[in-house]
Amino acid sequence: MTDTDVRPVNGHALAKLHPIPPDALDAVPAQPVGVTESVTEVEAPAAVVEAVDRPDNPLADWLTVPDAPVLPAWARSRASITANAQALGRLCWWHTRYHGVRTPKYLLKTVLLAARGFYRATVGLWPVLSAQDHTAAVRALRAQVAAKPEDVDLATRLQLAHAARTNSRRWRFGAAATAVAAGAVGVALADPLLQGGVATAVTVPLAYLGRGKETRLLDQGAPPLRVDMSAQQLNEALRAAGLLKSGRAGDDEKDWPRVSCSMGPVRDGRGWAVIFDLPRGGGKTASDVLAKREVIAQELGVDEIQVIMSRVRAAQGGNAGRVSMWVADDDPYLGPPNPSPLAKAERFSVWEPIPFGQDARGNRISVPVMWQSMFFGGLPRRGKTFSQRLLTAAGLLDPWVRHYVADGKGGADWMPMRAVAHRLVMGAEDDAIEALKAMLDELLVEMERRFALLRELPTSICPEGKLTPAIVEKYKLPIIFVTIDELQEYFTAMEKDDREQVINSLCRVARRGPAAGFISNYASQRPDAESVPPKLREIITIRYSTQVVDKTSSDMVLGKGKAAQGADASVLSEDHTGTGVLVTGPASHVTVRADYLDGAGFTELCQKGRRMRQEAGQLTGDAAGDVTAAAEAQGIKVAPIVSDVLEVMRHSTRMFTVDLLAGLVNLDEDTYGDFNGERLAAELEAAGVKRASKQVKLDGKALAGYQRRDIEAAVPAEILLG
């Protein structure tokens, strides 16, 4: 709060509480010109405002508005209050169940304690019932009579004392017996509910009396909040990590350097949140804290994956030493997958951020893809391709997106795209590599054509020299998605010259293409220098990595030095399928659990995208001429063997049987792993394929094989494409 903010409030209060005489105002020295002008510009009379802030004003300190929050940290937001209330509810419910199942054990312990208490009560009451207060006098008189038996007076006094003790014992035992008998009869005749109340009223005091110093009636269960963070625990963890200095020997620990918590620790969802500032003079920064994530997690008693830390930048009121930390109660990335909202969407515009997944706290993470390029990496079978397909799926729901797809593996993951893709390259064989090179050449020609067109447009239509939604529809320039999966398969299968040519083409598309509406979406399992050259990786703006083997591999995908900043995909485990680290900028990263879109859902979106493009007149290229895709779009059943053979022969007019079998095995090993030439011929014949010749000639060699036109003849193309 600034002085200008405080003055009108304080001045107004002072004027009401203590009116200032006019002569006193005249005696106040004038403020500097700049201050007087700024105060006058606000609203209050200069004399009244200045009087409050004057150092010689005895009420100045008392009237100063404190610059401190009115509410505690946990009560400053509805979300925080809700999180703490939910945590309290879970804690109470857990303890209710925990102690509820142990009720029989507690009842048995209570009975045993009550029995011991009854014994202790009996021992304590016996001296009263047996009139021990009279026994001392009787014993003294008996001793005197034994010493002087001739003393009649002593004998008389002994008889009287003994009679008094006997009478006391009789009425005390009698009264106790009467009370017990009356109580027993009353309880026996009472209502069962009253009997239970009386039993409780008797048992509880006896059990309390029977307790010992180490006696515990209730078991001590660990609460469900396994992470119980406090400022003291945070300081100890940071000190153990070497981020806080320890005091000298003999100094009080209260005087040691400590962090200053500007918020929390408070409950935030299923975890603890805290924002703290490192003390000055220690030479440590927020970046040092992020680099010590694993050590801090160990000191807090949790797994590294449960600790989410980030710097608080100046735009959010932070500084170089302010850190935001959230510690989850358990692993926040496990559990049932989150279905993608794209699966039920009817339409989507890629000009909007694409829904991608959720972070550890359940916040929705969206990825803006316009003017961007993307790279996906990670180990096999960790959800890399499924995550990459989410961005393509959003493009399927926009009819003004044209897809160019290449899959170096040639498996089933991208086969549904034949219904939509303008160009679709499957596999990394020689013919597929030639098709990839032709596809990239086509993209470069289209990119240059677009730039030439954009340069000729007036600034009123194209103010920034880039594509706009209006230009897309008016000039029929759809957004182009360039999706290439398993890049390493292409690079390792190419000769050196072809490899350099393809790399240069990909770099040009990723570097210059965004302004012309090109969105690059690349993926690789091994993002090393041999598989994916650094000059290609380094120009990618958005990166996502599922689990990798070490920090070096993580940096290869996400960028050099990212692991030291906290963006480390090597901390993910085998259980984190579909989870990865998303880097959207030099200082922005988040661990995301990607939405789930299975193969059936992706196929359905491809069919929906085909219908949308047919209606918009945007079904072009390979998709427009794919007889299998056209048949599926019209609901006509095509034999799977025919569809798969056509997919393998996508880039060839003829193929040897041995090569066709290898392609089918690569496409679906479970189905075609046991096939041989005879079985393949029998299956195709049963599906209606009639070969004009059982041999084909390639490169001057004639062997058993198939021609694509014979396979296509088994599909009624004249009906499907009419």
Side-chain angles (χ1 to χ4, degrees):
M1 184 177 292
T2 63
D3 292 343
T4 306
D5 295 330
V6 174
R7 284 173 179 172
V9 177
N10 290 348
H12 183 65
L14 182 62
K16 286 185 176 181
L17 297 175
H18 302 278
I20 302 176
D23 54 347
L25 294 177
D26 296 337
V28 176
Q31 290 281 2
V33 176
V35 176
T36 304
E37 290 178 350
S38 67
V39 173
T40 304
E41 289 175 359
V42 177
E43 61 182 79
V48 175
V49 173
E50 292 171 358
V52 176
D53 288 339
R54 283 185 51 80
D56 56 350
N57 180 11
L59 299 178
D61 293 339
W62 178 68
L63 291 174
T64 299
V65 178
D67 187 12
V70 177
L71 296 174
W74 62 267
R76 295 176 195 169
S77 66
R78 180 177 181 180
S80 180
I81 295 175
T82 302
N84 281 277
Q86 291 175 347
L88 178 61
R90 293 196 305 271
L91 181 65
C92 293
W93 174 235
W94 186 89
H95 276 295
T96 300
R97 291 181 290 126
Y98 179 86
H99 294 297
V101 299
R102 290 165 175 77
T103 300
K105 176 182 177 181
Y106 296 156
L107 291 177
L108 179 60
K109 290 177 68 174
T110 301
V111 171
L112 295 177
L113 291 175
R116 186 163 63 179
F118 178 76
Y119 170 77
R120 291 179 177 177
T122 301
V123 173
L125 288 175
W126 181 255
V128 177
L129 295 176
S130 60
Q132 292 294 324
D133 51 331
H134 293 278
T135 300
V138 171
R139 288 178 177 175
L141 289 173
R142 183 178 292 124
Q144 294 179 18
V145 169
K148 298 180 179 180
E150 70 281 357
D151 193 335
V152 177
D153 182 56
L154 284 176
T156 303
R157 289 168 59 190
L158 173 60
Q159 289 179 354
L160 292 175
H162 187 275
R165 185 179 69 174
T166 301
N167 291 333
S168 295
R169 285 178 175 177
R170 288 175 180 175
W171 74 259
R172 292 181 186 183
F173 275 110
T178 302
V180 171
V185 173
V187 171
L189 298 178
D191 182 81
L193 184 62
L194 181 59
Q195 290 178 344
V198 172
T200 302
V202 173
T203 304
V204 171
L206 290 177
Y208 181 79
L209 182 61
R211 77 191 190 286
K213 291 183 179 181
E214 303 298 329
T215 301
R216 288 184 178 273
L217 178 63
L218 303 181
D219 293 345
Q220 300 300 310
L225 305 179
R226 290 181 289 176
V227 181
D228 188 11
M229 181 181 287
S230 64
Q232 176 65 23
Q233 188 177 7
L234 176 62
N235 279 285
E236 292 175 355
L238 294 176
R239 187 165 286 111
L243 299 168
L244 292 178
K245 293 182 179 179
S246 299
R248 293 175 297 181
D251 290 349
D252 191 341
E253 290 188 10
K254 296 181 179 179
D255 299 330
W256 291 6
R258 295 175 176 273
V259 298
S260 174
C261 296
S262 57
M263 186 199 78
V266 295
R267 290 295 300 176
D268 184 1
R270 297 190 65 85
W272 290 90
V274 60
I275 298 177
F276 61 88
D277 291 327
L278 292 171
R280 298 181 182 180
K284 299 297 182 180
T285 65
S287 298
D288 296 324
V289 178
L290 301 184
K292 292 286 188 177
R293 176 184 174 191
E294 184 176 3
V295 180
I296 294 173
Q298 187 272 333
E299 292 297 328
L300 293 176
V302 297
D303 190 84
E304 186 177 356
I305 199 69
Q306 296 173 240
V307 180
I308 312 298
M309 295 191 297
S310 63
R311 287 189 56 181
V312 182
R313 295 289 181 173
Q316 291 79 39
N319 54 67
R322 179 165 293 184
V323 178
S324 174
M325 178 188 294
W326 187 74
V327 182
D329 295 335
D330 45 27
D331 193 327
Y333 303 109
L334 299 181
N338 305 310
S340 172
L342 296 171
K344 297 183 179 179
E346 293 298 324
R347 195 180 182 92
F348 189 84
S349 173
V350 296
W351 294 87
E352 301 295 328
I354 296 176
F356 186 70
Q358 296 182 0
D359 66 6
R361 306 193 201 190
N363 299 319
R364 170 58 57 184
I365 302 298
S366 298
V367 179
V369 297
M370 287 304 300
W371 328 122
Q372 305 292 338
S373 52
M374 295 161 287
F375 183 80
F376 289 75
L379 293 173
R381 291 170 292 281
R382 295 294 185 272
K384 170 179 56 65
T385 299
F386 275 60
S387 304
Q388 185 188 21
R389 285 195 318 194
L390 288 173
L391 306 181
T392 302
L396 293 172
L397 296 175
D398 190 338
W400 290 98
V401 173
R402 181 175 293 170
H403 292 274
Y404 287 72
V405 180
D407 179 15
K409 183 173 60 177
D413 292 334
W414 295 98
M415 277 185 58
M417 287 297 295
R418 63 189 176 189
V420 181
H422 180 80
R423 293 286 179 258
L424 178 60
V425 179
M426 302 295 291
E429 293 74 19
D430 292 342
D431 53 353
I433 290 176
E434 292 301 320
L436 174 66
K437 292 164 60 178
M439 183 183 83
L440 293 176
D441 291 339
E442 179 182 337
L443 286 170
L444 293 176
V445 171
E446 174 66 13
M447 184 174 66
E448 296 302 332
R449 184 184 76 85
R450 292 190 176 201
F451 279 127
L453 175 61
L454 293 175
R455 285 195 297 269
E456 298 299 325
L457 294 178
T459 55
S460 59
I461 298 178
C462 186
E464 298 182 2
K466 295 192 298 186
L467 218 58
T468 65
I471 295 176
V472 166
E473 297 193 20
K474 181 177 181 179
Y475 295 95
K476 307 299 181 183
L477 299 176
I479 303 298
I480 292 181
F481 260 52
V482 184
T483 304
I484 304 180
D485 194 8
E486 307 295 353
L487 268 173
Q488 79 283 347
E489 295 294 332
Y490 290 114
F491 292 149
T492 55
M494 292 178 182
E495 298 294 335
K496 182 178 180 181
D497 293 341
D498 289 341
R499 186 172 182 269
E500 289 298 323
Q501 176 188 345
V502 169
I503 290 172
N504 291 333
S505 298
L506 292 174
C507 289
R508 289 181 62 189
V509 171
R511 182 171 53 249
R512 301 184 60 229
F518 286 56
I519 300 174
S520 301
N521 185 8
Y522 305 149
S524 175
Q525 290 182 8
R526 301 195 309 270
D528 53 33
E530 293 296 326
S531 302
V532 184
K535 73 175 183 178
L536 174 60
R537 282 186 280 124
E538 294 305 321
I539 62 176
I540 304 296
T541 53
I542 296 177
R543 305 183 183 195
Y544 181 80
S545 177
T546 56
Q547 184 196 16
V548 292
V549 295
D550 52 30
K551 296 181 184 294
T552 302
S553 299
S554 180
D555 281 348
M556 285 183 179
V557 180
L558 302 177
K560 186 177 180 180
K562 290 298 180 183
Q565 299 177 13
D568 183 9
S570 66
V571 304
L572 301 173
S573 69
E574 291 77 5
D575 298 325
H576 295 125
T577 303
T579 299
V581 180
L582 176 67
V583 173
T584 56
S588 302
H589 67 270
V590 61
T591 301
V592 181
R593 191 180 185 197
D595 294 332
Y596 180 68
L597 180 64
D598 60 10
F602 185 70
T603 301
E604 184 178 346
L605 286 181
C606 288
Q607 295 299 328
K608 185 184 296 185
R610 182 182 180 89
R611 293 192 294 269
M612 294 173 65
R613 283 159 178 77
Q614 287 176 329
E615 296 171 359
Q618 291 297 309
L619 188 65
T620 59
D622 294 349
D626 193 301
V627 294
T628 305
E632 293 176 352
Q634 297 191 24
I636 299 177
K637 183 68 174 177
V638 177
I641 184 68
V642 173
S643 176
D644 292 342
V645 168
L646 285 174
E647 190 60 41
V648 174
M649 299 182 68
R650 172 175 292 273
H651 311 298
S652 304
T653 57
R654 60 183 65 87
M655 184 174 288
F656 293 141
T657 300
V658 62
D659 295 332
L660 181 57
L661 286 171
L664 289 172
V665 171
N666 182 59
L667 187 66
D668 189 350
E669 185 176 359
D670 294 336
T671 302
Y672 301 108
D674 298 330
F675 269 52
N676 53 26
E678 291 76 12
R679 183 175 177 183
L680 176 62
E683 293 283 349
L684 287 174
E685 184 176 355
V689 174
K690 297 180 179 180
R691 287 193 287 179
S693 173
K694 294 186 178 182
Q695 285 193 332
V696 296
K697 190 173 183 179
L698 287 172
D699 299 329
K701 185 188 301 183
L703 295 173
Y706 294 83
Q707 297 193 42
R708 189 169 63 191
R709 65 172 180 264
D710 293 339
I711 309 300
E712 290 176 343
V715 182
E718 67 280 1
I719 299 177
L720 301 178
L721 303 179

